[in-house]
């Protein structure tokens, strides 16, 4: 801490932070927040005031009410911190700051979990120092980076020097957590008559259109929208800050696609060559042009593509704009899975040096997709402008389920297929009925098709409960084996099946052999 002031002063960074941020989905447990609150409580008792705007964001609603209230109400003599609800914003980018702050270099101190350029407010002028919640509060009270709470003192309005006491935190609230708000609204039993409407003029909301399924053909003659050099996080792919207001509007938020990515051919961020007209444009404009022209494309990346926040939009936006594959030296695991869920091929160079063989005007062919299988390499080609080709291979981590997502166009398309189809206001479904004896030797059988979502057993005269849950085939052996293992074959059982067609059937059948 004692060196921070000198380290900031040497490159000429502003010494007075423009904001102090405590919280996010990390570094904001009940203990974190109470340690920060104890410093503010002590500061208020000694006549100190916060000199830097302080914002507090608890991680979860269950700890938000007591911790936020404690941080504010116990520090009434300190200018009140802004205590936000529990949004994801701080984890994925905290939103826009005033233009007066962003127009020139400024510093912030934060306990949020990342600090790469443009992370917090979309501005490269914001220099973020990441530290602990209690240190953020101490620097907010000092109003400068050149302050060491372990040795330095602050002066109150009475001219008295005050040494901040060591923070004290509570691991858990003595009276327990408040329940908070669940946020869950149960759907109606029958939603077939409900229509969701969104204004076509809305800038923040847009109904999703299902992505098209794979057409059964190999991907050929695909231009590169981007070949990224170096770090390409989810924030480089889908920038946060002011763009977060468009999270419910896929087309509008796609206006940030690859704005932070560094072009491997030029070294410039956020722009590249449009292969359809040869012009240099921002990547979002190229993506929109390809999309409107029906031109599918690929992106090529370096190591650890997609690290950072697990941001769904970093996979949805490329898919929406027509990406068929992302080919990289290595992936960050969560983002790789998100690409799979959106039906985008997440491919890794078998030989990382093949990355260097791809030039700006090359086209990519991805072959043998009809034989796509787990642990089976994918053959690819680079088509050069002079007509020559270069072959290379890619690996992938797709399971059979992931491959089904790819073929269906997305994981969501698979889920949609398992939901009821509305016909003239009624739910159309394949009947699923339970019949037969429930016993060790007498099978439970089902007539129909689909997937079982939940099966509950309710022994007659005895408390029941959930038998098992998950997307299971309509195979009676699953239920029969579970009943036998739990000893329910010796008494009457009520079986309740919640099937994928949203119809519910119950059947009471005692064991007649007794």
């Amino acid at each position: 801490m004692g060196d921070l002031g000198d380290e900031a002063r040497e490159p000429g960074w502003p010494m007075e932070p423009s904001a102090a941020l405590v919280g996010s989905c990390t570094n904001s447990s009940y203990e974190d927040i109470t340690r920060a609150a104890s410093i503010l409580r002590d500061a208020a008792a000694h006549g100190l005031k916060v000199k830097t705007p302080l914002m507090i964001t608890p991680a979860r609603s269950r700890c938000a009410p007591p911790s936020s209230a404690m941080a504010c109400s116990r520090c009434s003599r300190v200018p009140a911190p802004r205590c936000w609800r529990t949004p994801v914003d701080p984890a994925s980018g905290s939103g826009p700051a005033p233009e007066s702050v962003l127009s020139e270099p400024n510093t912030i101190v934060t306990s949020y979990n990342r600090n790469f350029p443009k992370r917090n407010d979309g501005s490269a002028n914001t220099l973020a120092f990441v530290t602990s919640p209690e240190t953020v509060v101490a620097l907010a009270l000092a109003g400068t980076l050149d302050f060491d709470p372990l040795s330095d003192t602050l002066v109150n309005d009475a001219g008295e020097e005050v040494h901040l006491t060591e923070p004290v935190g509570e691991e858990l609230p003595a009276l327990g957590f408040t329940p908070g708000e669940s946020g869950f609204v149960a759907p109606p039993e029958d939603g077939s008559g409900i229509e969701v409407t969104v204004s076509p003029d809305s800038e923040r909301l847009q109904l999703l259109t299902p992505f098209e399924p794979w057409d059964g053909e190999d991907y050929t003659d695909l231009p590169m929208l981007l070949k990224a050099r170096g770090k390409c996080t989810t924030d480089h792919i889908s920038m946060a800050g002011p763009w977060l207001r468009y999270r419910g509007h896929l087309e509008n938020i796609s206006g940030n696609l690859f704005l932070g990515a560094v072009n491997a051919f030029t070294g410039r961020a956020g722009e590249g060559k449009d292969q359809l007209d040869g012009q240099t444009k921002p990547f979002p404009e190229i993506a929109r042009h390809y999309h409107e022209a029906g031109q599918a494309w690929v992106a090529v990346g370096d190591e650890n593509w997609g690290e950072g926040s697990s941001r769904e939009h970093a996979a949805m936006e490329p898919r929406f704009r027509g990406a068929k594959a992302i080919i990289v030296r290595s992936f960050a695991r969560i983002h790789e899975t998100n690409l799979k869920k959106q039906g985008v091929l997440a491919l890794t160079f078998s030989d990382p040096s093949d990355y260097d063989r791809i030039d700006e005007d090359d086209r990519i062919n991805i072959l043998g997709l009809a034989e796509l299988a787990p642990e089976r390499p994918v053959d690819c080609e680079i088509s050069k402008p002079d007509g020559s080709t270069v072959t290379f291979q890619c690996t992938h981590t797709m399971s059979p389920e992931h491959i089904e997502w790819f073929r269906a166009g997305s994981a969501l398309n698979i889920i949609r297929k398992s939901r009821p189809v509305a016909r003239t206001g009624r739910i159309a479904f394949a009947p699923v009925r339970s019949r037969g004896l429930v016993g060790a030797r007498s099978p439970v059988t089902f007539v129909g098709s689909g997937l079982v979502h939940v099966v509950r057993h309710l022994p007659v005269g005895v408390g029941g409960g959930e038998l098992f849950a998950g997307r299971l085939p309509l195979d009676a052996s699953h239920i029969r084996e579970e009943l036998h293992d739990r000893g329910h074959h010796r008494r009457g059982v009520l079986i309740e099946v919640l099937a994928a067609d949203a119809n519910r059937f119950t059947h009471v059948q005692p064991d007649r052999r007794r």
Side-chain angles (χ1 to χ4, degrees):
M1 280 298 298
D3 298 331
L4 178 59
D6 291 337
E7 291 180 2
R9 191 178 293 107
E10 183 177 353
W13 295 339
M15 298 299 294
E16 297 181 359
S18 62
L21 314 176
V22 172
S24 178
C25 60
T26 54
N27 302 326
S28 58
S29 67
Y30 188 81
E31 183 175 11
D32 287 325
I33 299 296
T34 54
R35 286 174 66 86
S38 74
I39 297 176
L40 291 171
R41 194 164 56 244
D42 180 70
H46 290 86
L48 295 174
K49 297 179 180 179
V50 171
K51 297 179 180 178
T52 298
L54 175 62
M55 287 154 275
I56 299 175
T57 308
R60 297 289 182 268
S61 61
R62 281 173 60 84
C63 69
S67 59
S68 298
M70 185 181 302
C72 294
S73 64
R74 293 188 182 178
C75 309
S76 57
R77 283 186 286 167
V78 180
R82 289 175 57 192
C83 294
W84 296 346
R85 290 169 64 92
T86 55
V88 180
D89 285 6
S92 58
S94 55
E99 184 59 34
S100 59
V101 173
L102 303 183
S103 60
E104 56 187 28
N106 71 99
T107 56
I108 64 173
V109 288
T110 170
S111 69
Y112 295 177
N113 45 1
R114 298 178 183 96
N115 68 336
F116 45 78
K118 303 183 181 181
R119 173 66 177 183
N120 290 279
D121 53 24
S123 173
N125 284 329
T126 299
L127 309 170
F129 290 86
V130 175
T131 184
S132 66
E134 50 264 49
T135 304
V136 170
V137 169
L139 294 177
L141 288 164
T144 177
L145 299 176
D146 194 15
F147 174 72
D148 184 351
L150 298 178
S151 58
D152 296 342
T153 58
L154 299 174
V155 179
N156 62 20
D157 291 342
E160 301 168 333
E161 290 192 357
V162 178
H163 189 284
L164 298 180
T165 59
E166 183 176 347
V168 177
E170 303 172 40
E171 184 174 358
L172 295 171
L175 300 179
F177 287 109
T178 61
E181 300 178 11
S182 69
F184 174 72
V185 178
E189 287 288 333
D190 180 3
S192 61
I194 296 177
E195 180 181 1
V196 177
T197 59
V198 174
S199 169
D201 299 325
S202 174
E203 292 185 345
R204 303 186 65 173
L205 293 177
Q206 180 186 50
L207 293 177
L208 290 175
T209 300
F211 295 136
E212 291 295 323
W214 175 54
D215 63 4
E217 301 293 329
D218 290 340
Y219 294 148
T220 58
D221 201 37
L222 301 179
M224 272 189 307
L225 188 145
L226 161 72
K227 181 180 178 181
R229 184 182 70 192
K231 185 186 291 290
C232 193
T233 70
T234 52
D235 221 66
H236 292 84
I237 300 168
S238 175
M239 193 173 292
W243 290 98
L244 293 178
R245 70 187 302 267
Y246 301 121
R247 281 175 295 186
H249 197 298
L250 186 53
E251 186 168 7
N252 283 351
I253 199 171
S254 294
N256 69 7
L257 181 59
F258 296 134
L259 276 179
V262 176
N263 189 325
F265 304 113
T266 66
R268 294 193 295 270
E271 66 177 27
K273 180 178 180 180
D274 186 328
Q275 292 294 328
L276 298 185
D277 59 23
Q279 298 182 26
T280 298
K281 304 175 183 176
F283 285 129
E285 292 187 19
I286 300 174
R288 185 175 67 248
H289 187 195
Y290 288 0
H291 186 194
E292 292 173 351
Q295 176 63 65
W297 50 272
V298 300
V300 174
D302 213 327
E303 299 282 356
N304 206 26
W305 173 284
E307 66 173 296
S309 174
S310 55
R311 190 172 305 168
E312 290 282 358
H313 288 90
M316 293 180 70
E317 291 176 33
R319 179 68 168 98
F320 172 70
R321 287 305 192 194
K324 295 300 184 184
I326 307 295
I327 307 173
V328 300
R329 281 174 163 160
S330 66
F331 280 104
R333 178 182 54 82
I334 295 178
H335 179 67
E336 180 184 22
T337 300
N338 287 344
L339 288 171
K340 296 174 188 176
K341 288 193 293 185
Q342 302 305 331
V344 179
L345 287 175
L347 303 178
T348 303
F349 290 108
S350 297
D351 181 353
S353 66
D354 287 333
Y355 167 92
D356 297 315
R357 304 166 73 183
I358 300 177
D359 297 318
E360 188 172 32
D361 296 326
D362 292 345
R363 298 286 179 123
I364 303 296
N365 303 322
I366 303 175
L367 310 174
L369 293 179
E371 288 78 41
L372 186 63
E375 301 184 6
R376 180 171 181 167
V378 176
D379 294 324
C380 302
E381 290 179 346
I382 306 169
S383 295
K384 297 290 183 179
D386 62 6
S388 62
T389 60
V390 178
T391 61
F392 67 98
Q393 276 195 333
C394 288
T395 59
H396 64 86
T397 59
M398 300 177 76
S399 67
E401 183 179 21
H402 298 152
I403 293 173
E404 287 303 311
W405 295 351
F406 164 71
R407 290 171 177 163
S410 71
L412 191 57
N413 286 353
I414 293 286
I415 297 174
R416 288 179 68 249
K417 289 180 179 179
S418 69
R419 292 181 62 82
V421 179
R423 294 178 182 170
T424 62
R426 295 180 64 84
I427 297 178
F429 59 88
V432 182
R433 291 184 293 273
S434 171
R435 67 186 185 188
L437 300 179
V438 179
R441 300 175 186 172
S442 187
V444 179
T445 60
F446 294 89
V447 179
S449 61
L451 297 174
V452 172
H453 278 188
V454 179
V455 175
R456 295 184 177 90
H457 64 89
L458 299 166
V460 175
V462 183
E466 186 173 284
L467 179 59
F468 54 83
R471 297 180 58 79
L472 301 172
L474 276 177
D475 181 352
S477 62
H478 289 289
I479 302 172
R480 185 176 65 253
E481 291 171 4
E482 287 288 339
L483 291 173
H484 182 269
D485 290 344
R486 296 168 187 245
H488 296 312
H489 61 287
R490 296 188 177 277
R491 56 179 171 273
V493 176
L494 167 66
I495 297 179
E496 182 181 55
V497 179
L498 304 184
D501 55 25
N503 197 43
R504 175 179 299 185
F505 292 86
T506 59
H507 177 72
V508 179
Q509 178 62 64
D511 187 338
R512 295 176 180 172
R513 292 171 299 159
R514 290 186 57 188

